Short mmCIF file of all heavy atoms in Angstrom, two decimals:
data_model
loop_
_atom_site.label_atom_id
_atom_site.label_comp_id
_atom_site.label_asym_id
_atom_site.label_seq_id
_atom_site.Cartn_x
_atom_site.Cartn_y
_atom_site.Cartn_z
N ASP A 300 6.20 -7.68 15.14
CA ASP A 300 6.96 -7.91 16.38
C ASP A 300 6.81 -6.74 17.34
O ASP A 300 6.66 -6.93 18.56
CB ASP A 300 8.44 -8.13 16.06
CG ASP A 300 8.71 -9.46 15.37
OD1 ASP A 300 7.83 -10.35 15.43
OD2 ASP A 300 9.78 -9.60 14.76
N PHE A 301 6.86 -5.52 16.80
CA PHE A 301 6.74 -4.34 17.65
C PHE A 301 5.36 -4.29 18.32
O PHE A 301 5.25 -3.99 19.52
CB PHE A 301 6.97 -3.09 16.81
CG PHE A 301 7.03 -1.81 17.60
CD1 PHE A 301 8.20 -1.43 18.24
CD2 PHE A 301 5.92 -0.99 17.71
CE1 PHE A 301 8.25 -0.26 18.98
CE2 PHE A 301 5.96 0.18 18.44
CZ PHE A 301 7.14 0.55 19.08
N LEU A 302 4.32 -4.61 17.56
CA LEU A 302 2.97 -4.62 18.13
C LEU A 302 2.84 -5.71 19.19
O LEU A 302 2.17 -5.52 20.22
CB LEU A 302 1.93 -4.82 17.03
CG LEU A 302 1.81 -3.71 15.99
CD1 LEU A 302 0.79 -4.10 14.92
CD2 LEU A 302 1.40 -2.39 16.64
N GLU A 303 3.45 -6.85 18.93
CA GLU A 303 3.39 -7.95 19.90
C GLU A 303 4.09 -7.60 21.20
O GLU A 303 3.74 -8.10 22.28
CB GLU A 303 4.00 -9.22 19.30
CG GLU A 303 3.15 -9.84 18.21
CD GLU A 303 3.75 -11.12 17.63
OE1 GLU A 303 4.95 -11.39 17.90
OE2 GLU A 303 3.04 -11.84 16.93
N ASP A 304 5.09 -6.71 21.13
CA ASP A 304 5.89 -6.37 22.29
C ASP A 304 5.22 -5.31 23.17
O ASP A 304 5.67 -5.05 24.28
CB ASP A 304 7.27 -5.87 21.85
CG ASP A 304 8.25 -5.74 23.00
OD1 ASP A 304 8.37 -6.71 23.79
OD2 ASP A 304 8.86 -4.67 23.14
N ALA A 305 4.15 -4.70 22.67
CA ALA A 305 3.46 -3.68 23.48
C ALA A 305 2.86 -4.33 24.72
O ALA A 305 2.27 -5.41 24.65
CB ALA A 305 2.37 -3.02 22.64
N ASP A 306 2.98 -3.64 25.85
CA ASP A 306 2.34 -4.20 27.05
C ASP A 306 0.87 -3.79 27.11
O ASP A 306 0.05 -4.47 27.73
CB ASP A 306 3.08 -3.81 28.33
CG ASP A 306 3.10 -2.32 28.60
OD1 ASP A 306 3.00 -1.54 27.63
OD2 ASP A 306 3.22 -1.93 29.78
N VAL A 307 0.51 -2.67 26.45
CA VAL A 307 -0.89 -2.30 26.28
C VAL A 307 -1.07 -1.86 24.82
O VAL A 307 -0.40 -0.94 24.36
CB VAL A 307 -1.31 -1.15 27.22
CG1 VAL A 307 -2.78 -0.77 26.98
CG2 VAL A 307 -1.13 -1.57 28.68
N LEU A 308 -1.95 -2.54 24.12
CA LEU A 308 -2.21 -2.23 22.71
C LEU A 308 -3.63 -1.70 22.58
O LEU A 308 -4.60 -2.42 22.86
CB LEU A 308 -2.04 -3.48 21.85
CG LEU A 308 -2.18 -3.26 20.33
CD1 LEU A 308 -0.99 -2.49 19.79
CD2 LEU A 308 -2.30 -4.60 19.61
N LEU A 309 -3.76 -0.44 22.18
CA LEU A 309 -5.07 0.17 21.98
C LEU A 309 -5.44 0.07 20.50
O LEU A 309 -4.78 0.64 19.64
CB LEU A 309 -5.05 1.64 22.42
CG LEU A 309 -6.33 2.45 22.15
CD1 LEU A 309 -7.50 1.87 22.95
CD2 LEU A 309 -6.10 3.93 22.48
N VAL A 310 -6.50 -0.67 20.20
CA VAL A 310 -6.96 -0.86 18.83
C VAL A 310 -8.26 -0.06 18.67
O VAL A 310 -9.25 -0.34 19.36
CB VAL A 310 -7.22 -2.35 18.53
CG1 VAL A 310 -7.65 -2.54 17.08
CG2 VAL A 310 -5.97 -3.17 18.83
N VAL A 311 -8.24 0.92 17.78
CA VAL A 311 -9.38 1.83 17.62
C VAL A 311 -9.96 1.70 16.22
O VAL A 311 -9.28 1.96 15.22
CB VAL A 311 -8.96 3.30 17.86
CG1 VAL A 311 -10.21 4.19 17.92
CG2 VAL A 311 -8.14 3.43 19.11
N GLY A 312 -11.20 1.26 16.13
CA GLY A 312 -11.89 1.21 14.84
C GLY A 312 -11.36 0.17 13.89
O GLY A 312 -11.40 0.35 12.68
N SER A 313 -10.89 -0.94 14.41
CA SER A 313 -10.41 -2.05 13.58
C SER A 313 -10.75 -3.36 14.26
O SER A 313 -10.69 -3.47 15.49
CB SER A 313 -8.89 -1.96 13.38
OG SER A 313 -8.39 -3.15 12.78
N GLY A 314 -11.08 -4.36 13.44
CA GLY A 314 -11.33 -5.70 13.96
C GLY A 314 -10.09 -6.57 13.97
O GLY A 314 -10.17 -7.75 14.32
N LEU A 315 -8.92 -5.99 13.59
CA LEU A 315 -7.68 -6.77 13.47
C LEU A 315 -7.91 -8.02 12.62
O LEU A 315 -7.59 -9.13 13.03
CB LEU A 315 -7.12 -7.15 14.84
CG LEU A 315 -6.51 -6.01 15.66
CD1 LEU A 315 -5.95 -6.56 16.97
CD2 LEU A 315 -5.41 -5.29 14.90
N GLY A 316 -8.47 -7.79 11.44
CA GLY A 316 -8.74 -8.89 10.53
C GLY A 316 -7.50 -9.36 9.82
O GLY A 316 -6.36 -9.04 10.21
N GLU A 317 -7.69 -10.11 8.74
CA GLU A 317 -6.59 -10.81 8.08
C GLU A 317 -5.46 -9.87 7.66
O GLU A 317 -4.29 -10.11 7.96
CB GLU A 317 -7.14 -11.56 6.87
CG GLU A 317 -6.14 -12.50 6.22
CD GLU A 317 -6.81 -13.43 5.22
OE1 GLU A 317 -7.83 -13.04 4.61
OE2 GLU A 317 -6.31 -14.54 5.06
N LEU A 318 -5.81 -8.79 6.94
CA LEU A 318 -4.76 -7.90 6.46
C LEU A 318 -4.13 -7.11 7.60
O LEU A 318 -2.94 -6.81 7.57
CB LEU A 318 -5.33 -6.94 5.41
CG LEU A 318 -5.86 -7.57 4.12
CD1 LEU A 318 -6.39 -6.50 3.18
CD2 LEU A 318 -4.75 -8.36 3.42
N SER A 319 -4.92 -6.76 8.60
CA SER A 319 -4.40 -5.94 9.70
C SER A 319 -3.60 -6.74 10.71
O SER A 319 -2.98 -6.15 11.60
CB SER A 319 -5.57 -5.23 10.41
OG SER A 319 -6.28 -4.41 9.50
N SER A 320 -3.61 -8.05 10.59
CA SER A 320 -2.90 -8.89 11.55
C SER A 320 -1.79 -9.70 10.89
O SER A 320 -1.38 -10.73 11.41
CB SER A 320 -3.88 -9.85 12.24
OG SER A 320 -4.47 -10.71 11.29
N ASN A 321 -1.32 -9.20 9.72
CA ASN A 321 -0.28 -9.91 8.97
C ASN A 321 -0.70 -11.37 8.77
O ASN A 321 0.02 -12.30 9.06
CB ASN A 321 1.08 -9.81 9.66
CG ASN A 321 2.24 -9.98 8.70
OD1 ASN A 321 2.05 -10.29 7.51
ND2 ASN A 321 3.45 -9.79 9.20
N TYR A 322 -1.93 -11.50 8.25
CA TYR A 322 -2.50 -12.82 7.93
C TYR A 322 -2.60 -13.72 9.15
O TYR A 322 -2.23 -14.88 9.13
CB TYR A 322 -1.72 -13.45 6.77
CG TYR A 322 -1.77 -12.57 5.57
CD1 TYR A 322 -0.77 -11.64 5.33
CD2 TYR A 322 -2.87 -12.59 4.72
CE1 TYR A 322 -0.85 -10.76 4.26
CE2 TYR A 322 -2.96 -11.71 3.66
CZ TYR A 322 -1.96 -10.79 3.44
OH TYR A 322 -2.06 -9.90 2.39
N HIS A 323 -3.13 -13.10 10.23
CA HIS A 323 -3.39 -13.81 11.48
C HIS A 323 -2.14 -14.43 12.09
O HIS A 323 -2.23 -15.41 12.85
CB HIS A 323 -4.48 -14.87 11.28
CG HIS A 323 -5.82 -14.29 10.95
ND1 HIS A 323 -6.47 -13.39 11.76
CD2 HIS A 323 -6.64 -14.48 9.88
CE1 HIS A 323 -7.62 -13.05 11.21
NE2 HIS A 323 -7.76 -13.69 10.07
N THR A 324 -0.97 -13.86 11.79
CA THR A 324 0.25 -14.30 12.48
C THR A 324 0.52 -13.45 13.72
O THR A 324 1.41 -13.77 14.51
CB THR A 324 1.48 -14.22 11.55
OG1 THR A 324 1.69 -12.86 11.13
CG2 THR A 324 1.28 -15.12 10.33
N PHE A 325 -0.21 -12.35 13.89
CA PHE A 325 -0.03 -11.45 15.02
C PHE A 325 -0.51 -12.13 16.30
O PHE A 325 -1.66 -12.59 16.37
CB PHE A 325 -0.81 -10.16 14.75
CG PHE A 325 -0.92 -9.24 15.93
CD1 PHE A 325 0.21 -8.76 16.56
CD2 PHE A 325 -2.17 -8.84 16.40
CE1 PHE A 325 0.10 -7.91 17.65
CE2 PHE A 325 -2.29 -7.99 17.48
CZ PHE A 325 -1.15 -7.53 18.10
N ARG A 326 0.34 -12.18 17.30
CA ARG A 326 0.01 -12.80 18.58
C ARG A 326 0.36 -11.83 19.71
O ARG A 326 1.49 -11.82 20.21
CB ARG A 326 0.80 -14.11 18.78
CG ARG A 326 0.51 -15.19 17.76
CD ARG A 326 -0.84 -15.84 17.99
NE ARG A 326 -1.09 -16.93 17.05
CZ ARG A 326 -1.68 -16.80 15.87
NH1 ARG A 326 -2.08 -15.59 15.48
NH2 ARG A 326 -1.88 -17.83 15.07
#
Side-chain angles (χ1 to χ4, degrees):
D300 289 343
F301 187 82
L302 295 177
E303 289 181 346
D304 190 50
D306 63 334
V307 179
L308 184 71
L309 175 63
V310 182
V311 189
S313 170
L315 288 182
E317 189 168 30
L318 297 180
S319 301
S320 62
N321 205 354
Y322 301 93
H323 294 302
T324 61
F325 170 58
R326 298 286 183 270

